[in-house]
């Protein structure tokens, strides 16, 4: 490896190019095409600058630019492109190109406001990201770490709703005033005990001779400070709430730049501040080393976040907790002392980036094309968006660690690393291996319901509970109308003889005939006393009564006369006690679902008598989605004709050829989805040829002692 860094301006140019472009983006606000042209030009230029340094870095060179000492003690503001920095910079700059095209399709397709501010803030955020990647010491990385929090705040709070502003404030509180303070304190402590804050391959030598207690404190201050952005529990709450941001923000910044800057910071601390050997040697009173504590935190986080993801019906929320879980793979792997564990941890940085970017892009494309955000409303959507959901399936399989995909390679290395560590050093590592395996099963558990709902359920015949009872798995009822509170009508319901036991036959009539008769009876019976015998709400049977009206198959049916029924309102719910939501009423805080106040209020208003069936469906379903949008800050898109879930008549079927011709969605969004998915496949098949594995092996080889080098 080159002993003397090469003095070069390219690390500085990589930082500045998008920062300068932000001014041109703002100046071009009157011309969207020019504005977005600056974005793409800056992304290509940044990637070109970074890529130009890659061959020399793979040969062991280091590029450096220094502003000189700017703090007492000779602390410099220095940018250094070494192998570890290149891993992060090459990844983020390359994916910014893909995200720039996707942003154009998403922002225009969703008719978002403040698009100039969005593109400008995005450019500044990438400058801060490059600064983190190329920072040469703890002080420099701290400066860019805080700048990244400031630059991404406008993106998190982009919608300017109360929820978005609240998410933005929490984001700043956690990452800037929380994590940043920890990083600053850890940096000061490292300088106090070592007199040096420069990143050194294998760790700062003076720390090995420092007081172990102070060194341990400095390590956890830095690890927790950077770990806030990586979403370690219990400091993860900002990340799911930040999902109110536009999907491209969730994709690049919350799957690549922001959260990866936290994981990258932890990598710098383990590999270039303390060194893997010292991290393993620093022990707590109970015998746990600092590395094992770090891995244990990662194991707890990845397991808990996977369980929480099972509970989320909102697709982006499920993906957010999946991000919390997957980032903890990196944290866990960094604590595994050995060649395999470290290679797996670093390889999971690009692997997770490609897969999670694909998943977020798919979620955004579904939202733009169908305004559907909830998994329980996606029954049959695979026939409407075959390419999008196909890419989602491939990326989901990769996240679960299926072979020939990126996630398998990185997790395989970590599993081998954990087993070898358990055999050679400490049996505690076996528990970490168990956590990795359990998380893989949980990945399947929370991704499979999305795939199953999209491809194997029909709009008019699904129970909206993909895996487990609501709210763990979805809503408590179908999103299409059903007369028994969530389950489709039995086939025999159309049989005239299949009515209520009392013989009135109303329950067995054709629905349209009942609606027509109800409408005509309403007009004829105004001001009359003919309906004096109609029971009021208090007369409707309760679950605890023994005389419940049932049909021939024993299914409980509400017993009421339809002559006074207003079919713009949902039928009165009979509490039979046999539904999942009855036996497990854990959704009391959700403003939608059976028995919620939103249902009673959502159907107010009259209906055209000429088309009761369709109007009832649209009224109830649109108001149902309005609750969703109000709850998640998307009520600014009310000008669109359809609001989530299948439209009346079900999804339009689009075959593969038609989808490729642009009928599924614009290629500005579909192209980046397929590109990111292809990268995830390529990394799983040819990781070495893509350059990432070669770069990672160079990083690990130069940071481990000889006795634990590559097997």
């Amino acid at each position: 490896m080159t002993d003397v860094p090469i003095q070069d301006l390219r690390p500085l140019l990589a930082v500045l190019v998008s920062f300068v472009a932000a001014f041109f983006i703002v100046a071009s606000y009157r011309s969207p095409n020019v504005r977005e042209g600056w974005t793409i030009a800056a992304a290509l230029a940044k990637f070109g600058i970074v890529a130009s340094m890659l061959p020399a870095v793979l040969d062991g060179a280091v590029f450096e630019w220094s502003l000189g000492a700017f703090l007492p003690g000779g602390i410099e503001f220095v940018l250094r492109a070494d192998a570890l920095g290149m891993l992060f910079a090459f990844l983020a700059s390359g994916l910014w190109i893909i995200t720039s095209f996707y942003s154009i399709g998403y922002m225009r397709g969703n008719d978002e406001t403040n698009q100039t501010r969005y593109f400008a803030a995005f450019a500044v955020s990438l400058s801060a990201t490059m600064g983190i990647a190329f920072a040469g010491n703890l002080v420099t990385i701290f400066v860019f770490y805080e700048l990244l929090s400031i630059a991404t705040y406008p993106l998190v709070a982009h919608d300017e709703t109360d929820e978005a502003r609240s998410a933005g404030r929490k984001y700043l509180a956690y990452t800037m005033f929380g994590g940043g303070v920890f990083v600053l304190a850890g940096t000061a402590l490292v300088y106090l005990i070592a007199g040096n804050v420069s990143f050194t391959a294998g760790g700062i030598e003076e720390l090995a001779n420092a007081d172990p207690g102070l060194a341990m404190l400095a390590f956890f201050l830095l690890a927790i400070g950077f770990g806030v952005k990586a979403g370690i529990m219990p400091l993860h709450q900002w990340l799911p709430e930040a999902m109110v941001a536009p999907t491209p923000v969730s994709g690049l910044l919350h799957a690549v730049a922001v959260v990866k800057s936290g994981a990258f910071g932890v990598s710098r601390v383990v590999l270039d501040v303390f060194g893997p050997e010292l991290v393993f040697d620093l022990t707590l009173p109970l015998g746990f080393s600092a590395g094992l504590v770090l891995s244990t935190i990662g194991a707890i986080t990845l397991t808990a976040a996977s369980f929480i993801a099972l509970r989320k019906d909102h697709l982006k929320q499920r993906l957010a907790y999946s991000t919390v879980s997957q980032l903890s793979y990196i944290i866990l792997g960094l604590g595994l002392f050995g060649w395999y564990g470290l290679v797996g941890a670093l390889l999971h940085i690009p692997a997770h980036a490609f897969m999670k970017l694909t998943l977020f892009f798919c979620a955004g494309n579904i939202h733009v094309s169908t305004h559907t955000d909830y998994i329980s409303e996606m029954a049959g959507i695979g026939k409407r968006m075959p390419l999008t959901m196909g890419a989602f399936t491939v990326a989901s399989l990769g996240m679960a660690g299926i072979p020939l995909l990126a996630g398998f390679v990185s997790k395989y290395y970590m599993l081998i690393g954990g087993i070898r560590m358990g055999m050679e050093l400490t049996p505690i590592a076996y528990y970490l291996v168990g956590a990795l395996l359990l998380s893989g099963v949980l990945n399947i558990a929370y991704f499979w319901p999305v795939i199953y709902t999209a491809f194997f359920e029909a709009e008019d015949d699904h129970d909206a509970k993909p895996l487990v009872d609501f709210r763990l798995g979805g809503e408590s009822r179908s999103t299409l109308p059903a007369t028994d509170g969530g389950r489709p009508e039995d086939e025999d319901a159309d049989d005239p003889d299949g009515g209520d036991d009392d013989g009135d036959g109303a329950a067995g009539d054709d629905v349209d005939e009942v609606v027509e008769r109800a409408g005509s009876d309403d007009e004829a019976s105004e001001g009359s006393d003919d309906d004096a015998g109609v029971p009021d709400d208090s007369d409707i049977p309760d679950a605890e009564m023994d005389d419940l009206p049932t049909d021939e198959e024993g299914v409980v049916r509400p017993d009421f006369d339809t002559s006074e029924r207003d079919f713009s309102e949902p039928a009165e719910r009979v509490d039979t006690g046999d539904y999942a939501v009855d036996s497990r009423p854990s959704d009391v805080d959700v403003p939608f679902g059976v028995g919620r106040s939103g249902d009673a209020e959502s159907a107010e208003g009259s209906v055209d008598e000429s088309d009761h069936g369709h109007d009832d469906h649209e009224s109830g379903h649109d108001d149902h989605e309005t609750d969703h949008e109000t709850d998640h800050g998307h009520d600014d898109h009310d000008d669109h004709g359809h609001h989530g879930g299948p439209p009346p008549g079900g999804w339009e079927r689009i075959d593969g050829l038609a989808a490729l011709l642009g009928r599924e969605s614009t290629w500005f969004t579909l192209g980046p989805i397929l590109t990111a998915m292809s990268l995830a496949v390529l990394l799983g098949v040819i990781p070495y040829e893509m350059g990432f594995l070669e770069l990672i092996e160079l990083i690990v080889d130069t940071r481990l002692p000889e006795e634990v080098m590559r097997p």
Side-chain angles (χ1 to χ4, degrees):
M1 186 171 183
T2 303
D3 294 327
V4 180
I6 302 172
Q7 299 300 313
D8 199 294
L9 276 175
R10 278 180 285 182
L12 176 64
L13 293 177
V15 173
L16 290 180
V17 63
S18 54
F19 183 78
V20 173
F23 291 95
F24 290 99
I25 291 170
V26 173
S28 306
Y29 71 96
R30 293 183 182 275
S31 178
N33 291 337
V34 175
R35 175 192 67 200
E36 288 148 16
W38 285 116
T39 298
I40 295 173
L44 291 171
K46 183 184 291 290
F47 180 73
I49 293 169
V50 173
S52 69
M53 295 184 283
L54 183 60
V57 171
L58 287 172
D59 289 335
V62 175
F63 296 91
E64 182 177 287
W65 176 88
S66 176
L67 184 63
F70 74 113
L71 286 177
I75 298 176
E76 296 183 355
F77 186 87
V78 59
L79 298 174
R80 183 180 297 121
D82 61 0
L84 182 55
M86 281 297 300
L87 173 66
F88 187 33
F90 186 67
L91 176 69
S93 61
L95 292 182
W96 188 32
I97 300 173
I98 301 174
T99 308
S100 296
F101 285 101
Y102 184 87
S103 294
I104 296 171
Y106 182 91
M107 300 301 283
R108 292 190 181 189
N110 216 32
D111 196 23
E112 292 279 354
T113 59
N114 301 313
Q115 293 187 26
T116 299
R117 183 185 67 191
Y118 165 87
F119 283 104
F122 225 125
V124 175
S125 299
L126 263 295
S127 286
T129 303
M130 289 300 107
I132 291 173
F134 291 145
N137 56 46
L138 283 170
V139 173
T140 307
I141 198 173
F142 166 75
V143 171
F144 285 109
Y145 188 79
E146 296 292 76
L147 285 176
L148 181 61
S149 298
I150 297 171
T152 49
Y153 170 79
L155 297 172
V156 175
H158 176 83
D159 285 346
E160 297 185 1
T161 61
D162 290 340
E163 185 182 11
R165 290 191 177 96
S166 174
R169 288 192 297 269
K170 177 171 285 190
Y171 170 68
L172 286 181
Y174 273 78
T175 62
M176 185 175 181
F177 300 110
V181 170
F182 277 100
V183 171
L184 181 60
T187 301
L189 188 54
V190 167
Y191 181 76
L192 177 66
I193 62 180
N196 183 14
V197 293
S198 296
F199 295 140
T200 306
I204 300 172
E205 187 176 350
E206 292 82 0
L207 284 173
N209 302 319
D211 178 78
L214 290 177
M216 178 77 77
L217 177 60
F219 173 79
F220 281 110
L221 284 173
L222 291 170
I224 293 173
F226 287 114
V228 170
K229 269 195 171 75
I232 61 170
M233 289 186 171
L235 305 175
H236 68 289
Q237 283 295 333
W238 68 270
L239 199 155
E241 294 198 19
M243 291 299 111
V244 299
T247 301
V249 179
S250 304
L252 185 66
L253 296 186
H254 295 156
V256 183
V258 171
V259 297
K260 288 300 191 307
S261 70
F264 175 78
V266 178
S267 303
R268 280 291 194 193
V269 171
V270 172
L271 300 175
D272 289 351
V273 177
F274 288 84
E277 189 174 16
L278 180 59
V279 169
F280 181 74
D281 290 338
L282 285 174
T283 56
L284 293 171
L286 296 178
F288 276 81
S289 70
L292 285 176
V293 172
L294 186 67
S295 291
T296 301
I297 293 173
I300 293 172
T301 300
L302 67 88
T303 305
S306 297
F307 278 111
I308 295 174
L310 287 169
R311 300 174 59 89
K312 299 301 176 182
D313 189 33
H314 193 282
L315 182 56
K316 281 181 67 176
Q317 288 286 315
R318 184 168 294 199
L319 294 179
Y321 279 99
S322 171
T323 297
V324 174
S325 174
Q326 293 290 326
L327 288 173
S328 295
Y329 279 92
I330 303 171
I331 305 300
L332 188 154
L334 289 170
L336 296 175
F337 182 60
W339 190 85
Y340 282 103
L342 292 178
V343 168
L346 296 178
L347 188 59
H348 201 64
I349 292 178
H352 173 260
F354 296 146
M355 296 182 296
K356 187 52 64 70
L357 196 65
T358 303
L359 294 172
F360 272 122
F361 281 0
C362 290
N365 203 30
I366 293 169
H367 175 77
V368 170
S369 300
T370 69
H371 295 282
T372 301
D373 297 314
Y374 290 82
I375 299 166
S376 56
E377 295 178 342
M378 293 182 183
I381 201 173
K383 66 182 181 183
R384 166 64 178 82
M385 308 192 74
L387 294 181
T388 299
M389 293 310 302
F392 188 98
T393 301
V394 171
S396 299
L397 294 175
M399 297 290 282
I402 302 301
L404 301 182
L405 295 169
F408 170 77
V409 182
S410 58
K411 293 178 182 181
Y412 171 80
Y413 274 99
M414 281 187 274
L415 284 172
I416 297 299
I419 293 172
R420 289 177 66 93
M421 187 176 177
M423 293 171 57
E424 299 172 3
L425 299 174
T426 172
I428 296 174
Y430 289 125
Y431 296 102
L432 303 178
V433 172
L436 289 172
L437 295 173
L438 174 61
S439 178
V441 174
L442 292 174
N443 270 269
I444 297 174
Y446 62 72
F447 278 123
W448 171 246
V450 185
I451 300 167
Y452 181 83
T453 300
F455 287 110
F456 302 106
E457 287 199 336
E459 303 94 311
D460 57 351
D461 187 20
H462 77 110
D463 63 2
K465 293 185 286 293
L467 182 69
V468 289
D469 292 342
F470 182 79
R471 45 182 301 203
L472 292 177
E475 289 190 76
S476 57
R477 62 178 173 88
S478 172
T479 56
L480 293 182
T483 59
D484 67 340
R487 294 176 293 190
E489 275 287 336
D490 296 330
E491 294 179 1
D492 294 335
D494 291 336
D495 184 359
D497 297 330
D500 294 336
D501 288 346
D502 56 10
D504 62 5
D509 289 339
D510 182 82
V511 174
D512 292 333
E513 294 177 4
V514 173
V515 173
E516 272 184 40
R517 191 175 70 226
S520 60
D521 288 350
D522 284 345
E523 294 177 359
S525 61
E526 285 186 11
S528 69
D529 295 328
D530 294 342
D531 299 319
V534 176
D536 57 21
D537 291 345
S538 62
D539 295 326
I540 294 176
D542 187 79
E544 297 180 358
M545 301 178 63
D546 295 329
D547 56 343
L548 293 175
T550 58
D551 61 12
E552 291 179 346
E553 297 182 5
V555 177
V556 176
R557 306 286 185 186
D559 185 11
F560 56 87
D561 190 338
T562 60
S563 60
E564 286 292 303
R565 171 82 187 280
D566 181 0
F567 279 85
S568 67
E569 298 182 0
E572 192 72 20
R573 178 170 179 263
V574 176
D575 185 6
T576 65
D578 63 346
Y579 300 128
V581 70
D582 299 318
S583 60
R584 189 171 298 178
S586 58
D587 56 329
V588 292
D589 59 336
V590 179
F592 53 84
V594 174
R596 305 291 165 249
S597 59
D599 281 340
E601 298 169 1
S602 65
E604 291 182 0
S606 60
V607 198
D608 280 343
E609 295 175 2
S610 60
D611 192 13
H612 279 284
H614 287 296
D615 286 352
D616 284 350
H617 176 188
E618 293 174 6
S619 173
H621 187 69
D622 286 352
D623 288 339
H624 169 70
E625 179 60 21
T626 301
D627 284 344
H628 285 343
E629 292 181 351
T630 303
D631 186 48
H632 286 269
H634 294 299
D635 52 340
D636 52 336
H637 305 310
D638 289 341
D639 54 335
H640 296 283
H642 178 61
H643 300 285
W651 301 109
E652 174 191 6
R653 180 177 293 278
I654 298 177
D655 59 32
L657 180 60
L660 288 173
L661 294 176
R663 284 194 60 196
E664 178 176 325
S665 65
T666 172
W667 270 98
F668 273 105
T669 55
L670 195 57
I673 289 173
L674 298 180
T675 302
M677 180 203 72
S678 300
L679 291 172
V681 175
L682 289 175
L683 188 62
V685 177
I686 50 172
Y688 203 88
E689 287 75 5
M690 289 188 70
F692 286 105
L693 188 54
E694 182 181 0
L695 193 61
I696 289 167
E697 288 180 352
L698 174 63
I699 295 168
V700 176
D701 286 343
T702 55
R703 285 160 174 82
L704 282 175
E706 293 184 1
E707 59 270 19
V708 286
M709 290 287 287
R710 184 188 315 191

